[in-house]
Structures are given as structure tokens and as C-alpha cells.
Amino acid sequence: MTSPSPIIHIDPARSISRVDPRIYSGFTEHMGRCIYGGIFEPENPNSLADPNTGFRKDVLSVLKELNVPIFRYPGGNFVSSYRWQDGIGPKHLRPRRPELAWLTEESNQFGTDEFMQFCKEMNAEPYICLNMGTGTLEDALAWLEYCNSSANTYYANLRRENGHPEPYKVKYWSLGNEVWGPWQVGQMESQDYAKKAFQWAKALKLLDPSIQLISCGETGYSDWDRVTLKKLVPVVDYHSIHIYTVSEGNHAVNVMGPAAAEKALEISKSLIDLAKIESGLDKQVTICFDEWNVWDPVRAPGEKGAEEHYDLSDALAVASWLNVFVRKADIVKIACIAQSVNVISPIITSPKGLFKQTTFYPLKLFATLMQGTSLNVHVGSPSHTGKTVPDWVEKLEKNAGGDEKLTKYIDVSAVLNDSKDEVRLAIVNRHATEGYTIPIRFGPACDVSGGTVQVYEVWSADLKDNNGWDGERVQIVEKQLPWSGEYSVKQHSFQLLVFKVELQ
Ligand code: AHR
């Protein structure tokens, strides 16, 4: 362990960028029990479903606590063999199909119109991922026409016939999902994908110039990202990247994993800059991190529905993930936790009800309070040395020569709220066994007023503590404390501190 003593310096004058509320977005894939048995269960035996829509009332009510601004749909891997036309029109006529991503069957009882209704009820914007596996450009154009067109044309009229006179105005459309992956139906080489996506983008924007397009990236730090950005920066608005972090049963590996996402965002930002330099273009392209979470596919395989049962260590990893997004507010404008219900999710349902996983609570605190302007915080902290996944998280910093480690035990992000009268500080103590007393220093033009700090803490005595049908051991504990200039964090804890401030 190396050891500067923990200390936090915040100067509200040193801002990074506005935190885009869309970083708290969600994802509902036709996978496992996310849609069927998750948000949609018309036949629920305990009357938990809305009789008109079939939506689980309890699930929607709890999801609303997370203020989800966008839902991505319908996959994920699922989309690469999905015929969207199967999921519209009278339900008894919708065909049941083999499903190739998770090797199940798709009943098509939930489709585009049900998803739009779901988004409406959630007061969220829809985001559609296009099928670039078995799907053609013609299918994609038809889907866009069905959703967005107000013309007197075939698919716009079909939407009207299906009872939806007004266009849905779907703004976000992505060009395929993980097209680089060997598991993907329609896997492609980067050059081939880039050429095809370029043509799709041109045609889609001809049909509806108001849409925003998202290119299919990989991790943000791969050659796929470089090649596809070079070709697609002129025609897209966002570049999508995906990363899942794992614990491998090791708490330090779990909580340090999101450091890889921080590097990924730095590298992808540079790759976007490089593509702009090479093309001479002056336009904004930012990152849509549309799949992220803690997921160990060995522990919770996709083919079995990927129902992770998260513990406190996972909640701290999720808090560190969210710290990354707030710190990188300049480049990441949309992020979708994968996924929203049951599948690697903060919410688990049964026909009888639901429970909130440990990871629900940091997500709720961030989505509610970490809004405004991201601040540049200086953190002194001892750092973890030892195993990380990927291993370069530790190697890069060891060889970099500076003292800005990626594996600091004290992991922090901060915002100034929009009314500029609160500084909010999200602090994860990632150390498994050490608590710390941390002096928190504010810049010269910022006074903490009121003499108190409001604290929201997520903690439990055992890192393996989790929530379940027998109760919630990990929740938010709220307290107001006198402010003395320093704050004591427990071992393996997350806390969100809210300071009333006066800026000069
Ligand atoms: O979110 C689960 C799966 O993980 C998605 O379908 C896929 O895009 C990713 O590999």
C-alpha cells in the first residue's frame, strides 16, 4: 500500500462539465425475465399487473424512484435476429419465433407499441437499437417510419391502424449491437461494419433528419473503436461502448474494476478527437455508454437469465462506476445500466412482489442528487496495489510516473447543484477493512453554511451482506451531522454528503 493520507480538496470554481441527467438511463432487453415477468406480466396471479397495459405496477413504481430518463430497447444481443414487424398489431396474430441470442422463444406479446407505452408511463425517452445482424436497411427504415413518420405512407399508416395516430418521435437510434462480438448474429470486421453503418446512417437521416445516431463501438479502447470512429464520426452523434466489471470473488478486484471505464472514456475521447482532426470536421460526438454494470457471466450466465444477486461489495462497485461517469461528464452524455429489471439488475421480481438489490441504493442516490455541474476534485488517498481486472488498471498507473493512481481507496466525485447553493460529494471508501478520517477543504470562494452536513450512507458490517426476500440488510441511512471540517468514513462504505454553501 502507498500512502498519502486521505484528503479531499474541492473548489466549485473548477468545474468539468454539466452532468448530463441521461447518464442515469436504463436498458430493457428481451432477455431472461427483464420484459416478461419483469416490466410486463399481464397474467400476474396476484393482480400486480395493470389490467389495461399488462405492466407490473409495483415494478414501474420502484423504477420511477430512479428517475430513468431514457430506456434502451430491445437489445442487446437479442436485437441481432429480431424482426420488429412480428411485435406489432393484434396480439393473437403475432408469431412465436426462435430466439438466437439466448436460445429461447420469443412470443412477441411485447413489441414496439408496448415499449412506447412503457416509456410514456415512465416519463422516459425511448432509444431503439437497430438489427444489423439479420435485419436489412429496408427493415430499419420501415421501423423508423413506423415510429416517427407523420406522412401518408405504408408504415406510418400501419401505426395509425394499430391505434397510435401520433408519431412517437424516437430520437435515439443505434446502428447495431456489439457487432464485433463472436456471439453476435451477423458479426462483422470493423471496416465492413463501418462501411455498412455509414450507408445506413445516410439513409436513416434522409428519412428523419431529426434523429440522433449512435455508432456501435467496443470497449472504447480497441482498434474497432478507432476504425469505426474514423469512418462514422461525420455521420453519428454518439459512439456506444460497453464494459462489464467482474469481482472474481475478490472485493478489491470488484471495486477497482470501474477504473477501466475511466481509462476507456479518456481513450475514446482521444479517438473521437483524432477522427475529427483527420476529417477536419467541427462537430460534437460524445460517448453513449449504453451497457455497464457489475456482471460475472460465470456466476450468472446470460443463457440462464443473468440474475445476479448483488452484495454490498457490488453496491460499492456500482457507486465507483457512477463516480467515473460524473468525473467524465465532459465526454459521457448517456449511460444505460444493463439492465433495468431482473437481468443483472437493481430490482428482482417474483410473481408475488419485488425486492431492491444493494445496487439500487447508490443508483438512486446518484440519480437524485448527483445532478448539476461536475467539479474537479483533488483527492489524496492510499492506493490498492495487487490484482486488478483488467490487469492494466494497476500496471498503467505503476509505470506512469505520476501520483494520480487509478486505484485510490478513497474514490470521489462532486457536483455543484444548479441553484449553486449545494456541493454534493459522493465518496466510496473501497478499502475492505480500514476506515479513514478525511479532511475536506473547500476553495477560497466557497463557505460551508449552516454548520451541518447532510449524509446518506450505504453500509453494512459484512461486505457479503445482500438484500433478498428475507429483508434488506443494505439500504440508505440518512443523518445530519455537525460540520467540523473532516468526515470519518467507515471501512467499505459509500456516502453522499450534501453541504449548503455560499459562493463569493
Ligand atoms: O446485457 C446483457 C448482454 O450483454 C447484452 O445483450 C449484450 O449486448 C452484452 O453482451
Side-chain angles (χ1 to χ4, degrees), residues 27 29 31 76-77 102 177-178 242 244 291 295 338-339 344:
F27 173 31
E29 174 168 3
M31 173 180 177
N77 297 341
W102 310 111
N177 175 72
E178 295 186 357
H242 295 175
Y244 291 96
E291 287 187 32
W295 181 21
Q339 298 185 3
I344 37 176

Side-chain angles (χ1 to χ4, degrees), residues 159-220:
R159 184 196 65 237
R160 293 185 185 102
E161 272 168 40
N162 288 338
H164 310 285
E166 295 306 320
Y168 293 122
K169 297 190 181 145
V170 179
K171 189 182 335 172
Y172 305 106
W173 296 82
S174 62
L175 300 159
N177 175 72
E178 295 186 357
V179 181
W180 44 270
W183 50 85
Q184 207 66 224
V185 173
Q187 181 191 0
M188 280 182 248
E189 300 293 322
S190 54
Q191 298 278 4
D192 297 336
Y193 167 76
K195 278 186 211 150
K196 184 169 170 181
F198 187 84
Q199 296 306 330
W200 279 42
K202 276 194 311 185
L204 290 159
K205 287 229 181 182
L206 282 175
L207 183 60
D208 184 350
S210 74
I211 59 172
Q212 301 203 332
L213 289 175
I214 300 154
S215 51
C216 169
E218 191 182 353
T219 52

Side-chain angles (χ1 to χ4, degrees), residues 94-171:
R94 297 188 190 179
R96 205 175 162 84
R97 301 272 190 199
E99 190 286 300
L100 301 183
W102 310 111
L103 303 179
T104 57
E105 293 173 9
E106 174 53 49
S107 70
N108 283 306
Q109 294 303 293
F110 187 101
T112 303
D113 295 313
E114 288 76 23
F115 175 62
M116 297 301 160
Q117 178 68 29
F118 167 72
C119 288
K120 194 172 168 198
E121 300 215 1
M122 294 302 301
N123 200 18
E125 284 205 71
Y127 159 11
I128 289 185
C129 180
L130 291 166
N131 173 359
M132 288 193 73
T134 60
T136 62
L137 175 55
E138 203 168 294
D139 292 324
L141 288 166
W143 205 355
L144 177 59
E145 182 193 330
Y146 185 88
C147 290
N148 284 9
S149 176
S150 52
N152 179 21
T153 51
Y154 179 78
Y155 283 104
N157 286 333
L158 190 56
R159 184 196 65 237
R160 293 185 185 102
E161 272 168 40
N162 288 338
H164 310 285
E166 295 306 320
Y168 293 122
K169 297 190 181 145
V170 179
K171 189 182 335 172

Side-chain angles (χ1 to χ4, degrees), residues 227-247:
V227 170
T228 56
L229 276 167
K230 185 179 162 95
K231 177 81 180 166
L232 296 173
V233 151
V235 290
V236 299
D237 304 284
Y238 306 88
H239 183 69
S240 142
I241 61 177
H242 295 175
I243 293 180
Y244 291 96
T245 52
V246 291
S247 75

